[in-house]
Amino acid sequence: MENKSNVTLKTLNVMKAFIDKQMVWGVNELARYLESPPSSIHRILKTLKEEHILQVIPESNKYTIGNEWMRLSSFISANFGLKSIAEPYIRELAKEVNHSVYLALYQQQHKKLSFVAGVHSANALQYRLDLGVLHPIHIGASGKAILSYLSEDEITLILKEEQVSSQEGRQIWMDIQEIREQGYSYTLSERKSESIGIGAPIFDANSKVIGSIICAIPSNLYKEEEKGFTVDHILSTAKEISYNLGYVENR
C-alpha cells in the first residue's frame, strides 16, 4: 500500500499534467508520462472522476477536466485575480532591482491600460505613476509590452483610434517586432520625461496577454551595465506571474 504522502504527491502530479502538458489523457499514456504504474494512476483518476474533478470522454474513454475543477477554477479566478497574485512578485522585484515596479492591466473594452499596483524601492529617487487612470498602450514600455502580443487586427485598430501618424505607426511596428523577438520592451522618455522603462508581458491561462510589469528608472540613475540584470529579473518575474495564472509556454 502506498502511504498517504505518496498518494497526495502523485495526485498533485496528475493534476499538474492536465495543466502543464495537455488537457486529455488516457491511463497508460499518463502513466508513461509520469513514470508510474498504470494501476496506481488509474486509481487516482477514478477517485478524481468520482469527485467530478475529472470526467471521462465517452468516445475515447480518456480523462479530461471536469465540472468541479472548472467551478473551483472560476472561484479562484474571481477572488484571486491578477493583482493579488502579482503583488508578492513585484514587491520582491522592486527589492532586487532597487527601482519602482508597476503592474499594468489591459482594459480591453477601452483598448487602454491602467496601473493597478505599484511598489517603490528604498531608492529615494523614483518615478510615481497614478493608479487606476486609463493610458494609451502604444507608448511606454508598459503599453508596448502588451500591444506587441495582441493580434495584428487589434493593433491596427488601436493605432487608428489613437490617431497615430503613418510615420509613428511604422516605428511602432518596428518596435513590436523587436519586442516579440527579445521578449521585453525598452523605452526612453515615452510615458514619463527623463525616464527609462523596461517591461514584460503577462499572459493568462488562455495564452492571452492581459497586462505587463514595468520597471521605471530615472534616466540619471540608469546604468547600462545593469540592464541585463534588470531585464532578466523582469522577465523571470513576468513568467512566474503568468505561470501562476495558468499560462503554459508553448503548450
Side-chain angles (χ1 to χ4, degrees):
M1 288 285 292
E2 292 181 282
N3 62 45
K4 288 184 179 180
S5 62
N6 284 342
V7 172
T8 301
L9 181 58
K10 279 191 175 182
T11 301
L12 288 173
N13 286 335
V14 165
M15 295 178 71
K16 284 181 180 180
F18 283 89
I19 297 172
D20 293 341
K21 185 65 176 177
Q22 60 193 48
M23 294 181 66
V24 177
W25 289 97
V27 175
N28 291 330
E29 181 187 18
L30 182 56
R32 286 193 298 271
Y33 174 71
L34 295 176
E35 299 180 349
S36 294
S39 58
S40 175
I41 296 300
H42 184 257
R43 283 194 297 271
I44 292 171
L45 292 172
K46 184 180 178 183
T47 299
L48 291 173
K49 176 180 175 292
E50 290 170 354
E51 296 298 323
H52 306 289
I53 299 296
L54 297 176
Q55 61 183 328
V56 173
I57 302 171
E59 295 80 5
S60 62
N61 207 34
K62 292 184 177 183
Y63 290 81
T64 191
I65 290 170
N67 292 334
E68 184 64 9
W69 191 332
M70 288 187 280
R71 185 187 73 83
L72 293 171
S73 297
S74 297
F75 175 84
I76 292 169
S77 178
N79 291 277
F80 300 93
L82 172 60
K83 182 180 176 182
S84 60
I85 289 172
E87 279 187 325
Y89 292 98
I90 65 173
R91 279 200 298 269
E92 183 62 26
L93 178 59
K95 290 180 184 177
E96 291 171 337
V97 299
N98 199 30
H99 291 293
S100 298
V101 175
Y102 283 88
L103 172 68
L105 180 64
Y106 179 44
Q107 306 289 355
Q108 187 174 14
Q109 68 274 31
H110 301 292
K111 300 290 189 290
K112 296 180 185 291
L113 67 79
S114 62
F115 295 105
V116 295
V119 178
H120 303 290
S121 70
N123 198 323
L125 296 174
Q126 309 188 56
Y127 276 106
R128 295 180 180 269
L129 301 171
D130 294 329
L131 302 184
V133 178
L134 291 174
H135 296 277
I137 68 166
H138 69 288
I139 60 172
S142 52
K144 287 181 176 176
I146 298 169
L147 183 72
S148 299
Y149 293 92
L150 298 175
S151 69
E152 295 202 355
D153 287 344
E154 191 164 4
I155 295 171
T156 300
L157 177 60
I158 289 169
L159 297 183
K160 182 179 179 181
E161 289 183 354
E162 295 290 347
Q163 299 181 338
V164 173
S165 68
S166 298
Q167 182 177 352
E168 185 183 0
R170 284 192 293 271
Q171 181 59 56
I172 289 172
W173 280 109
M174 289 172 63
D175 293 343
I176 287 170
Q177 182 61 36
E178 184 177 18
I179 291 165
R180 288 174 175 175
E181 290 174 358
Q182 63 191 15
Y184 68 91
S185 55
Y186 175 93
T187 59
L188 173 61
S189 297
E190 287 197 10
R191 200 178 298 280
K192 278 278 189 180
S193 177
E194 299 299 319
S195 70
I196 288 169
I198 303 175
I202 295 172
F203 301 94
D204 67 8
N206 296 313
S207 300
K208 290 185 177 180
V209 63
I210 59 169
S212 65
I213 55 171
I214 177 182
C215 178
I217 308 172
S219 56
N220 62 327
L221 295 182
Y222 177 74
K223 297 177 181 178
E224 182 64 27
E225 63 270 21
E226 295 179 356
K227 180 182 177 181
F229 173 87
T230 303
V231 167
D232 287 347
H233 280 72
I234 291 170
L235 284 172
S236 63
T237 301
K239 287 178 180 178
E240 283 286 337
I241 295 169
S242 297
Y243 177 80
N244 280 279
L245 290 169
Y247 173 66
V248 179
E249 193 172 5
N250 299 323
R251 180 165 68 182

